[in-house]
Amino acid sequence: MEREVFTNPLRPEALRTGAALLQSFAADESGAAGRVPSQVIYPQSREDVQRIVHEAIRTATPLVPVSSGPPRFHGDTVPARGGVIVDFSRMQRVLRIDRASRSVRVEPGVTYGELIPQLRAQGLRLSLPFLPRANKSVVASRLEREPTTIPKYQYDYMDPLLTLEVVYGTGEDFRTGSACGPGTLDTLKADLVNPWGPGSIDYFRLVSAAQGTMGLVTWAVTKAEILPRLQQLWFLQASDPARLLQPIDALLRKRVLDECVVLNRAALATMLAGDGMRDYAALARALPAWTALLVVAGYERRPEERLALYAKALRDITAAQGVEPGRSVPGAPGREAEILHLLSNAWTKSADWRIRATGSSRELLFIAPMSQVPRLAATVDDVAAQRRISMQDVPCYIQPMVQGRGCHCEFVFPRLPTDSAAAMELDALHREAAAQLLRAGAFFSRPYGDWAQLVYRDYADGVAALRRLKGVFDPHGLFNPGKLCF
Amino acid sequence: MPLSRDVYAELEQVVGPRHISDKPWILAGVRAAQPSSPMKPPSPEAVLLPGSAAEIQQIVRICNRHGIRYIATISSLIGFAYPSGPGTIILQLKRMNQLVEVNAQDRYAVIEPGVRHGQLRTELMKHGLTYPVAAVGPGGSVLANFACSSGDNHCQHGASRTNRYLLGLEWVTPEGELVRVGSLANDAGWFCADGPGPSLRGIIKGFVGQWSGMGVVTRIAIGLDAWRGPPELPTQGRSPSYRMRLDPACHKTFVFKFPTLEQARDAMIAIGEAEIAQAVLKYFNASAALLATESANEFWELWDSGLFQRELARPLYVFLSAWTHEELEYEECVLRDIIAEFGGADVDERIQRIYSDNMDFYILVGALQRVLRLGGGWAPCKLSGDSIGHMFEVGKAIPEFITPFIEQGRILDAPDNWQIIPLEYGHSAHIELLFLYDRNQPDWGKVPMDFMRASMQADIRNGHHGTMPLRTVAASQAIGALFSNAHMWANRVKDAFDPQRVSNPF
C-alpha cells in the first residue's frame, strides 16, 4: 500500500522545501546520523500545530520539532527517520511579562537574545544558562533542563520552567499546572505560575528532556527575577576544582551567591578572548587552572546594605574554608565589568561560545552531586591521557545547580571540521569517556545521541514505563522517532 | 467480597502469619471513619504489614492476578487511605521505617515510608540540616507527604513545596515492577528526581500525590536545606504548653495587620522580591485562636472577645531567620520599610507574644489537631496554587459563597479563616480555607460537600484557579472538561499502568 504524502495543511508560505535548507537539518555538531527531512513547516499558532499533527497522523509522517537557530549540538533535532521539520521560529511572541508574579510567557521561537532586553526594560532578568547563544530558544532551553547560573533560584531540576501548553500526538491540546483552568485562557484569571499538576500528574515533567518525543509545546511560562541594582563580582582560583567547590557549597547553603560558575582556563580564555580568538593563547597562559566566578547582589531595597552584608559573608565563609577571594580576575585584571556583562546577556561574540576555537565542537555533559564532580571530571582527563589527547584547550565548566545539591559538568571538545582523522579520534574519546563516566556514577539526565543506548541499556523497567507513557501521549509514534528509547 | 482462603494463604506466604490479618477486631481499627467525615468506608478484607519492596511486589502481583484492590498507607490521615469499595486490602507500611541514609555532604536523606516527621527532623537538626515539614504533626509519614499526598508547608516562603524536594525514588508499579526513578536509574545515587530523559517522576506526583493510586513508593530521597537553629530545639514547659525560643540574635517573629487585603498582598510580594524571611503567611484567624488555647471553653472566651477577628482579619506573619545578627538586622530594616510602605502595623502584644514564644512553625502548627476540639467537624477547601496576586483574588471572593453558610449557622462565623503561603520567595503561593462545623447539627454530614461545591462553583464562575480538580470519578466527570480535560489524560495514564484498576481506584 502506497503511503500518503504529507500535504501542507497551512498557508503556502508556511512550507519550505529548498534543498539547502532541508540539508541543513540533516546533521549537526553531534555527528548524529540522520536523514534529510522532506519539508520544513513553520506554524504560527497552536491551531497550526494541531493541523500539522492531524496531517502527520493521516500520512504517518514523523514530526521533528526545532525551536533554536544553529549551531545545534545534541542531535536531537536531526531526523532519525526523515519526516517533516516543525520549525517554531515564527512563533516568536512574548505573550506576557508580569512583574508582580515575576514570570514571562513566551512562544517557542522567542530567543534569549530577544527576551533579555525586554525583561531588563521592566526591571527583570532571567536566570540564564552559561553564555546562551543569542538565537537559542528560551522554551527549548527550559524544556531541556539546561542548567542556569544562579543556583539559589533553582529548587529542582525543572526550575525555572513553570506552566506550558502542549499539543499531544493525538492532536489534542493541553495546559499544565495552574494554566489548566477553569475555562479557557480568555476567561482564566490565574497568572499561570503554578507548575504542578493538574491533579496527581506533573505533566510538565513528562515533556522535559524529551527531545520533542512527547508533545509539541506551543508556549511556556518561565520565572523571571528582580534585576539587581548592584552587583559585585568575586573570584576564587585553584589548581583543582575540588578546592573551589567546597567553599561554593558553603556559600550556597547560606544563599550568599547570585551567579556562580567554575571554569577551567580554556573556558575562561574562550569567554574573554577578543575577535578571532587572537589573544586566546596569552590568556590561557596567564589564567589559573580553575577560576570560580561568584556574584553577590543588592536588589531594590537597601541595595548597598545587602551588597555589603553578602560580600562580608562571602569573605568570611571562604576564609573559613582556607581560600581567599579576589575582586580582580587573576590573569586578566580589569575585565570584571566585561565578565559581568557576559554573564548577564546572550552570547554574541560568535555563533556559540562552544565553537569559537575551531568552528566546531562536541560536548560531553553530565550531572552529579557537587562532591563527586572533581572525581568524575578527572575520569575524562584519564581517558584523554590514555588516548594521548591533550586536554589543554578543552573548555570545561562546572555549574552548581538546585541550591548546590547537584552540579552540571560540561566538556567542550574543539573539532577541526576538515580533519577527519582527528574527528574520528575525538568521537572514540567521546564514546569511551561517556561509558567510563556512566560506570563511575555520572548521571546523563539528558541522554542525547549515543548516550541514550548507554543509559537505557540496563534500565529495562524504566524503559517499559517510558514507552507506556509514550503510548499515551504519542500513540502513533510520530514525534521525533528514533530518539531516546522510542 | 471476602478474600478466598486460597488468596489469603498466598498473601500470608509473602508476609508471614504475623503480618497479615482478617480478624474483625483488627479490621475494625482500619475502617473507622475520620471524625470530621460523614463517609463510612467499607471494611478492608485484610490488613498486611509488608517488610520490604520485594514483598510489596509479590503482593501487588497477587492482587493483579485475582483482581484485588490494594491501598498502601501509613498515617491514614486522609480519606483516600480508606477503601472506596469492597474487595480491598490495606498495605500498612509502618514496618518499613528505616532512615536509610543521611548524606550531610550532598544534602539528602533516604527514607522508607514509615519514617515520621518527628523522627527525621530531630535527627537532621543534629547534622545542621532541615527540610520543609508539612503541618501534619510529628506522627505524619515523611514519604507520604513528599511523594503521595499534598506538599505545602508553612515555611515554604524561603524554600518550596515538598514537590521540589523529592529526589530519586524506588517505585513498585501498579502491576508489581520495581522501577528506580531519577538518578537511581543508572546507579548514580539519589540526588536527582528527573531523567534519564522524560521524567517518570511526573506520574508519581503532580500538584498532589496519587494516594497509592499509582502503585507503591517504597523508598525516597529528599533534598535538605541548611538549618539555622541549634542541634536540639530549646523547648521549655510541658505539653501542650511548650515554649520554643530560638536565639533572638538571629531569629525573630512578627505579626502585622493591614487595613486592606491589597496592602497585605503587596507587602507579601515586596518581601519576596527582597528575598528576606524564612516564613511569611497570611494565616487563619480562627485556627490561630484554636492553636492559642487549650480547651473549647478557652477558645470561645478568646473568640467571643473579638480580638483575633479584629487583629487577624488581614495579617501577615513573618519569621526572620538569619545566620548572623547583622543579617537579621538588615532583614528587619527591609521588613520595616515594607510594612510601613504598605500601611501595616504591629498587632496586639498578646498575639505577638504567642509567636515570640513559639518561633518554630513546625512546632506551632504541629498542634493543628486542636481544630478538632471545637465540635469535631472541619475540612480544608480551595487548596490550590498560583501567584500571590491571584491567590488574594481567590481569597477576596470567599464572602461570595461563605456568607450563606454562616448566616444559616452551618459553619463557624469565621470568613477570614483562610491562609495564603507564598513559596520560593513569592514566585507563587498556596491558598487554603478551613471551615469548621458542629457534628451535633442534624445535617452535618452534608456540610463539607455542599461547602466545597459552592466554593468550586464560585471559582468556575470567576475564572479563579482556586481549586485543583480532584481525581475522584464524580468530580472529574463533572468539571474535568473545564480543566483541560485533565481527568481524561489521568485516566489514560491510569489505564496504561494499572489496566486492572487495582491500585487504589476511586
Side-chain angles (χ1 to χ4, degrees), chain A residues 197-211:
Chain A
S200 301
I201 295 176
D202 263 353
Y203 293 90
F204 79 135
R205 288 180 198 272
L206 306 181
V207 290
S208 73
Q211 302 180 23

Side-chain angles (χ1 to χ4, degrees), chain A residues 102 152-153 178 181 191 459, chain B residues 180 275 337 386-387 425 465:
Chain A
R102 281 178 276 156
K152 76 168 182 178
Y153 288 140
S178 59
D191 288 313
Y459 190 41
Chain B
R180 296 156 298 156
E275 296 181 27
D337 291 348
D386 193 58
S387 65
Y425 289 100
H465 188 80

